[in-house]
Amino acid sequence: MQEKELRILSRGGQGAVTAAHILVEAAVAANLYAQAVPSFGQERQGAPVYTFARISQEPVESHTYVYEPDIVVVFDPFLMELGIDPLQGIKDHATLVINDKKLPEQLRGKFAKTGIVDAWGITHELIGNVPPNAAMLGAIAKTTGLIQIEHITQAIMNVLGERIAKVNAKCAQVAYERTVVSET
Amino acid sequence: MADLVSKGLTTCEGCGMELIARSILDVLGQNTIMLTPPSCSAILTGFGSETGWKVPAFQSNLENIAAYCSGISVALEHQNKTDINVVALAGDGGTVDIGLQALSGAVERGHKFIYVCYDNEAYMNTGIQRSGSTPVGAWTTTTPGGKKEPKKNIVEMLLAQGIPYVATASVGYIDDFKKKVAKAREIDGPAYIHTFSPCPPGWRAKPRDTIKIAKLAVDTNLFPLFEAIDGEVRVTRKVRKVASIKEYLELQGRFRNIRDEEVESLATDAENYYNKLLESEAK
Amino acid sequence: MGKRVAISGNHSIAEGVRLAKVDVVAAYPITPQTPMVEKVADFINQGRLDAKYIAVESEHSALTAVVGASVMGTRVFTASAGAGLALMHEIVGVASGNRLPIVMGIANRSLPSPWSLQADHSDSMAERDLGWIQLYAASCQEALDYTLLAYRIAEEVRLPVMVCIDGFFLTHTTEAVDLPDQADVDQFLPAFERGDIYLDPDDPMTINQLNSEATFTELKYRHNEALNSVVDLFPHVAKEFEERFGRKHSLCTAVGCEGADVVVVTLGSSSGTARKVAGQMRADGQKIGTLQVSCFRPFPKQEVIDHLKHAKAVAVVDRSWALGTDGPLAQEVKSAFYSAGLNVPVYNFVGGLGGRDLSEATVKRVIGKALELKEQEEQALYPIWIDVKEEAK
Amino acid sequence: MKHKAGIYAVTITDTKTGAWRLNRPVVSEKCTACGICAKFCPPQIIKIEDRAIIDYEYCKGCGICDSVCPFKAIAMVEEEA
């Protein structure tokens, strides 16, 4: 596997930084190398947040943001109304994972592979009004196939506090099952 | 006399600080680590390969002596060495001005150490510049017309912080000082002794009058002697007959140009503060 | 055998501190160093590290307190960044002048002003000549490994060490890190022994006192000799480290330098980025090398000369604003070249300031510009600000 | 030569400060050996036996002993040049 670069688009409070960290934890469990790079700004609740990740079979050398992602993860489709463009810089044959009920019009046909998941719906159903990050991790596992869902759920158990780990792991599992993946 | 300091020190004639330094080790003995900032007390810490201390000693920076004490005290605690005293000997400048932050922090954290401030009411080592501890009306090279502002009361600041032991002392009542050092050693936490210490060259006073002036400061109520254990104030020397402030001032050339209203304010403040101490003692 | 974990650079240094069995920690939090000292405090609280944590009231007191604890014969740690390190400045010289084996984690952050929370090396570069060993890590793994190397070397030569990691790009970046076993670390790093100076009533001495011109030069000379000796010591310690932990570390790491048209010289987190870019360019048939300088103080002049002498041009990237002259890394490279009589053109590029990403595209621009200058046989007397926006000009 | 690493001092400085003295305290037979002078002497160089004994090797001649003596048993006498 060549190094895969991810760009995660979210808003402050949606747990993308934690999700990226869990993703690295899961990759390590899968005997891969990985990296999660937060970008730093005035991270107010609700403000757009960029988080980056890399997954590879070799130690990751680059320590920069991701400008040409293989995989774009959208935690919140409302970001597009704020002028954030999920298409920016994407590589050919890129993959999209998006939290939505259906693929937004403007993203149709732009990605080689898409995974659609109602992360909010699943999260509300299983936990309540909390960040959709665990569900998004399940969707990333399903859509990209880079990391097995077992590694994701185990990483959630390792990283999150005991009180909330189990239900979040469940959330990731359900999202994994419900993510609709299509390839063009 | 424990003889833990060299006899031949190049302090000035009639130096109050020298008596304080020797008295500390007289009480605490050999198991003591001394710290001095760059100041007159650094004369004891020495020069090149020579030192005045026969106990371990460390030369701190001017503003951080209490932070060095913090690190040393915590390291001793970690090594389970509970019988070693850590003592800072700093002047009023290194204490109430530039050293205040480190002192306040170390006191708040509750490290076990003894902080002795020798208060000679100005920056003497650099040649008599005003400090926060210089009293109203005193001449210094940076207050050529006399200081306008009253002396900063560091002891009340530390009391407000809840320090377990705080005391004032004077070289004029050296036995009282030694008793307070002995008490400070028994405190399981920070102990602070603010010690009145005449500086003959800086005060334009005769070296022979060091003890006389230091007694008068107490007897005029300008520098009342008290201690507070866990905030409980006790005046350790009750002044039955208040001595003449005029006599006190006349022994010191630094007050030569003090104005009458300044003498008045010194006297009023002294009386009020002494009475306040007696009141808090009564509570 | 150790295990692989997913941890940040801050966390990696904290793990190094735990494995080194540090006795006393004093620190004041500052972005982006905060999680580093929080993690150490957490280790102590959990009982995983038997140490005392002094939550001091300032950075100045943080370094002061560990100087105090170090002369008492304990292994110590502190950490800072940016303005906090600047506040420590006075004590930085005290720590090294007294030859104390203090290790300090630096989460590199730009000095004010303007205020910035983010990475560049202006903070640690401002301390570079005060006689500390300075190591700059390029990854979270190096952050951990350098911390262990730091204690070992510090205690052999009796000098303090700064382990520098770029703010956010390393401090807050999570990576796969191989965590050694305690038993192996114990073999590599023996129990702390006090040095020649200490405060002990059974053997009293006075420390850090005033000196005159009669002795000052000699004390500084010996300090300098000790610092320079690290150039010889480091490879031996690194070899032992490699035998025990299987990871290789050097004063500086060269890839593809021999006969390269351009070698990119870097410090810190951009080193891996440069290696990746150069690797891709080599795969496309271009002769581009990289040199990561890990040990900036002492500066390994001979090693740098040996790696770069057969290059056709050298592009030094300084993530630091040394205003008015070359960046500090370029100054070193040029100085080494001149001493060795090398006539290889050295171009200095300043970039990645105040948290600006030193991206792969920026590295490509550096290489492109260096090739262009070499081609045209042009000189560049002052640094080229490679990522400055046009609007500023 | 192997040098110690660090800045340290172990030699006890011992300046013969008696040479500074302009006025010499002289103890008379009025001395009762009460010890008050010894208590306040900054360099602590007065020994009390049957009377106060001053170590002139170190005495700077500050006159504190004279000033605190309740029995006027000490006289300050100008040193001869």
Side-chain angles (χ1 to χ4, degrees):
Chain A
M1 177 187 87
Q2 257 201 325
E3 183 173 292
K4 297 288 182 219
E5 297 188 308
L6 288 80
R7 181 194 286 149
I8 303 171
L9 305 173
S10 68
R11 299 169 71 194
Q14 291 178 338
V17 174
T18 307
H21 178 87
I22 292 169
L23 198 62
V24 179
E25 179 97 9
V28 166
N31 225 6
L32 295 166
Y33 289 90
Q35 181 193 64
V37 186
S39 70
F40 193 80
Q42 303 291 344
E43 275 160 17
R44 302 180 316 277
Q45 198 80 10
V49 174
Y50 292 81
T51 311
F52 310 102
R54 294 181 173 89
I55 300 175
S56 174
Q57 270 164 338
E58 302 293 323
V60 177
E61 283 275 42
S62 216
H63 286 82
T64 67
Y65 300 153
V66 169
Y67 297 90
E68 295 172 3
D70 300 279
I71 298 151
V72 177
V73 181
V74 180
F75 269 46
D76 188 342
F78 183 71
L79 284 163
M80 289 185 282
E81 287 179 39
L82 298 175
I84 309 284
D85 180 11
L87 300 172
Q88 193 189 7
I90 56 169
K91 284 202 185 87
D92 293 343
H93 312 294
T95 297
L96 172 74
V97 183
I98 188 164
N99 172 18
D100 214 335
K101 293 202 167 77
K102 58 182 176 47
L103 189 63
E105 193 64 41
Q106 65 265 50
L107 301 180
R108 284 216 181 128
K110 310 284 188 187
F111 288 89
K113 196 184 205 183
T114 54
I116 300 162
V117 67
D118 179 12
W120 276 325
I122 294 164
T123 308
H124 284 168
E125 180 187 324
L126 293 177
I127 314 177
N129 191 18
V130 298
N133 53 355
M136 291 306 292
L137 283 165
I140 292 168
K142 176 73 165 286
T143 311
T144 67
L146 288 172
I147 292 172
Q148 292 173 342
I149 186 65
E150 292 73 24
H151 287 133
I152 294 280
T153 53
Q154 188 54 51
I156 289 172
M157 296 301 286
N158 294 350
V159 172
L160 298 183
E162 219 173 301
R163 201 172 47 82
I164 56 165
K166 217 167 167 184
V167 65
N168 273 285
K170 171 83 177 161
C171 212
Q173 180 69 43
V174 170
Y176 178 84
E177 284 155 16
R178 294 193 195 164
T179 301
V180 179
V181 181
S182 47
E183 290 185 62
T184 52
Chain B
M1 192 71 217
D3 193 27
L4 292 168
V5 181
S6 159
K7 279 182 188 169
L9 293 173
T10 57
T11 50
C12 304
E13 281 174 71
C15 175
M17 179 274 294
E18 179 174 359
L19 185 54
I20 291 168
R22 292 179 188 278
S23 301
I24 291 168
L25 288 183
D26 225 11
V27 176
L28 298 179
Q30 197 182 317
N31 262 9
T32 304
I33 293 167
M34 293 299 306
L35 289 96
T36 58
S39 70
C40 291
S41 62
I43 290 168
L44 283 93
T45 301
F47 188 65
S49 63
E50 295 195 3
T51 176
W53 299 110
K54 299 181 189 175
V55 294
F58 189 90
Q59 170 73 34
S60 78
N61 303 69
L62 187 49
E63 67 293 343
N64 62 352
I65 193 163
Y68 281 117
C69 291
S70 304
I72 290 168
S73 175
V74 169
L76 284 168
E77 194 188 326
H78 189 68
Q79 293 165 322
N80 292 317
K81 293 179 185 164
T82 52
D83 60 340
I84 298 175
N85 310 297
V86 180
V87 181
L89 176 60
D92 46 302
T95 302
V96 313
D97 292 340
I98 197 170
L100 184 60
Q101 178 175 320
L103 173 60
S104 174
V107 166
E108 182 268 329
R109 293 188 297 273
H111 305 302
K112 184 168 167 45
F113 72 110
I114 302 170
Y115 194 112
V116 177
C117 171
Y118 62 96
D119 183 3
N120 52 29
E121 302 195 323
Y123 303 148
M124 294 314 186
N125 202 241
T126 43
I128 324 168
Q129 294 82 31
R130 113 201 253 283
S131 81
S133 202
T134 303
V136 160
W139 165 90
T140 68
T141 58
T142 50
T143 54
K147 194 188 175 210
K148 300 280 179 285
E149 307 79 15
K151 185 178 171 82
K152 188 192 279 191
N153 193 330
I154 178 75
V155 171
E156 290 292 330
M157 288 174 81
L158 293 171
L159 262 174
Q161 256 197 265
I163 188 170
Y165 184 82
V166 68
T168 59
S170 166
V171 288
Y173 293 98
I174 199 71
D175 289 337
D176 172 78
F177 171 70
K178 288 184 187 177
K179 269 186 218 154
K180 286 168 177 169
V181 172
K183 266 189 196 163
R185 170 170 50 191
E186 302 311 317
I187 302 297
D188 189 22
Y192 179 90
I193 307 175
H194 194 77
T195 313
F196 190 83
S197 177
C199 169
W203 292 10
R204 302 295 190 240
K206 289 187 187 129
R208 60 181 287 110
D209 287 336
T210 288
I211 300 303
K212 192 173 180 185
I213 293 169
K215 278 187 200 289
L216 274 172
V218 176
D219 299 346
T220 51
N221 282 336
L222 284 166
F223 200 92
L225 298 186
F226 67 100
E227 66 182 5
I229 301 175
D230 294 327
E232 299 256 340
V233 173
R234 192 175 72 85
V235 176
T236 55
R237 185 172 180 85
K238 299 269 166 41
V239 177
R240 307 287 171 212
K241 184 172 171 289
V242 180
S244 151
I245 284 195
K246 198 158 166 273
E247 185 190 358
Y248 170 79
L249 297 173
E250 278 174 356
L251 288 168
Q252 305 168 52
R254 63 171 172 157
F255 290 115
R256 191 181 301 140
N257 295 319
I258 191 167
R259 288 189 291 272
D260 290 345
E261 64 268 27
E262 286 170 337
V263 178
E264 192 85 355
S265 87
L266 277 175
T268 314
D269 288 355
E271 191 186 345
N272 289 344
Y273 187 53
Y274 183 69
N275 287 336
K276 186 191 152 233
L277 287 169
L278 289 179
E279 270 170 41
S280 43
E281 186 184 49
K283 274 175 200 162
Chain C
M1 231 339 267
K3 61 171 178 177
R4 186 164 296 166
V5 293
I7 54 177
S8 69
N10 273 332
H11 189 155
S12 297
I13 289 186
E15 290 285 0
V17 170
R18 179 182 64 77
L19 289 163
K21 293 184 174 171
V22 163
D23 298 302
V24 176
V25 178
Y28 192 82
I30 178 171
T31 301
Q33 158 263 38
T34 307
M36 189 193 300
V37 294
E38 283 176 336
K39 196 73 204 173
V40 173
D42 191 36
F43 284 146
I44 296 170
N45 184 49
Q46 286 177 30
R48 296 179 67 197
L49 173 62
D50 176 21
K52 296 277 189 295
Y53 189 102
I54 315 177
V56 283
E57 79 293 342
S58 76
E59 286 90 353
H60 194 282
S61 285
L63 188 51
T64 298
V66 297
V67 166
S70 186
V71 292
M72 296 312 297
T74 59
R75 187 174 280 160
V76 300
F77 177 74
T78 186
S80 198
L85 179 56
L87 182 58
M88 288 178 170
H89 177 71
E90 181 193 17
I91 314 306
V92 169
V94 173
S96 60
N98 282 290
R99 309 284 305 277
L100 298 171
I102 294 164
V103 173
M104 169 150 67
I106 302 294
N108 281 112
R109 164 177 166 178
S110 191
L111 284 177
S113 274
W115 281 103
S116 164
L117 299 162
Q118 302 183 61
D120 66 42
H121 300 149
S122 53
D123 53 356
S124 52
M125 284 303 165
E127 311 301 324
R128 70 187 188 272
D129 295 332
L130 287 174
W132 285 54
I133 298 162
Q134 282 195 339
L135 304 176
Y136 289 77
S139 66
C140 295
Q141 183 72 60
E142 286 186 356
L144 167 63
D145 291 355
Y146 287 6
T147 305
L148 297 175
L149 287 164
Y151 277 106
R152 175 67 189 275
I153 292 168
E155 288 166 23
E156 280 197 36
V157 297
R158 312 313 293 190
L159 279 175
V161 187
M162 291 182 199
V163 178
C164 304
I165 57 175
D166 289 354
F168 296 101
F169 292 107
L170 282 177
T171 59
H172 286 63
T173 288
T174 303
E175 291 188 287
V177 172
D178 287 330
L179 204 57
D181 277 341
Q182 185 68 63
D184 288 329
V185 174
D186 290 346
Q187 293 286 314
F188 175 73
L189 182 66
F192 188 83
E193 279 183 40
R194 73 183 186 185
D196 292 336
I197 65 165
Y198 40 79
L199 296 172
D200 180 354
D202 293 333
D203 184 14
M205 67 175 82
T206 292
I207 297 174
N208 194 38
Q209 79 287 12
L210 191 65
N211 271 262
S212 74
E213 82 294 344
T215 44
F216 190 96
T217 303
E218 287 65 32
L219 286 164
K220 274 295 151 220
Y221 174 81
R222 281 181 230 147
H223 181 175
N224 187 52
E225 289 287 296
L227 185 58
N228 285 344
S229 77
V230 172
V231 172
D232 293 327
L233 176 66
F234 191 101
H236 293 287
V237 177
K239 187 158 182 286
E240 204 185 306
F241 187 96
E242 187 184 356
E243 282 163 7
R244 197 167 294 282
F245 303 110
R247 288 186 298 280
K248 196 175 166 63
H249 295 296
S250 348
L251 294 159
C252 50
T253 306
V255 180
C257 290
E258 189 73 26
D261 288 329
V262 170
V263 175
V264 184
V265 185
T266 52
L267 275 178
S269 71
S270 59
S271 303
T273 311
R275 267 197 296 274
K276 182 180 172 189
V277 170
Q280 286 167 347
M281 293 177 85
R282 278 197 303 277
D284 292 341
Q286 286 182 273
K287 290 203 242 165
I288 308 297
T290 54
L291 182 71
Q292 171 194 345
V293 176
S294 295
C295 180
F296 186 72
R297 280 292 181 275
F299 192 76
K301 291 193 185 201
Q302 192 58 53
E303 289 69 13
V304 167
I305 290 165
D306 290 345
H307 286 307
L308 297 182
K309 65 184 171 197
H310 299 306
K312 297 197 177 70
V314 174
V316 181
V317 182
D318 268 291
R319 192 172 213 154
S320 177
W321 39 283
L323 304 184
T325 186
D326 281 338
L329 186 56
Q331 289 182 32
E332 297 299 338
V333 172
K334 287 185 180 179
S335 152
F337 274 24
Y338 190 86
S339 307
L342 290 186
N343 197 18
V344 179
V346 179
Y347 307 115
N348 187 198
F349 297 90
V350 165
L353 304 183
R356 180 159 295 173
D357 191 16
L358 247 169
S359 65
E360 292 170 21
T362 304
V363 173
K364 282 176 193 158
R365 241 188 355 263
V366 164
I367 294 167
K369 185 74 188 167
L371 286 169
E372 181 191 317
L373 288 166
K374 180 180 75 92
E375 198 65 33
Q376 295 163 359
E377 293 183 12
E378 261 190 62
Q379 282 192 332
L381 212 50
Y382 285 95
I384 297 154
W385 289 51
I386 192 67
D387 55 5
V388 68
K389 290 176 184 164
E390 281 304 316
E391 69 213 37
K393 290 182 180 170
Chain D
M1 185 175 164
K2 166 94 175 88
H3 293 286
K4 282 190 173 188
I7 302 162
Y8 65 98
V10 287
T11 312
I12 306 301
T13 183
D14 192 17
T15 310
K16 300 288 187 268
T17 45
W20 299 10
R21 198 172 51 243
L22 297 176
N23 293 292
R24 167 187 292 253
V26 177
V27 182
S28 75
E29 72 284 354
K30 282 191 264 179
C31 175
T32 64
C34 71
I36 288 178
C37 60
K39 189 157 75 180
F40 288 109
C41 170
Q44 296 282 287
I45 44 140
I46 304 179
K47 251 194 323 198
I48 303 297
E49 290 179 4
D50 52 345
R51 65 167 66 167
I53 299 166
I54 296 168
D55 186 344
Y56 293 110
E57 212 176 351
Y58 298 102
C59 170
K60 295 171 190 162
C62 71
I64 284 178
C65 50
D66 170 29
S67 135
V68 300
C69 178
F71 305 102
K72 300 200 178 341
I74 297 175
M76 298 303 291
V77 178
E78 202 174 325
E79 290 281 354
E80 283 167 33

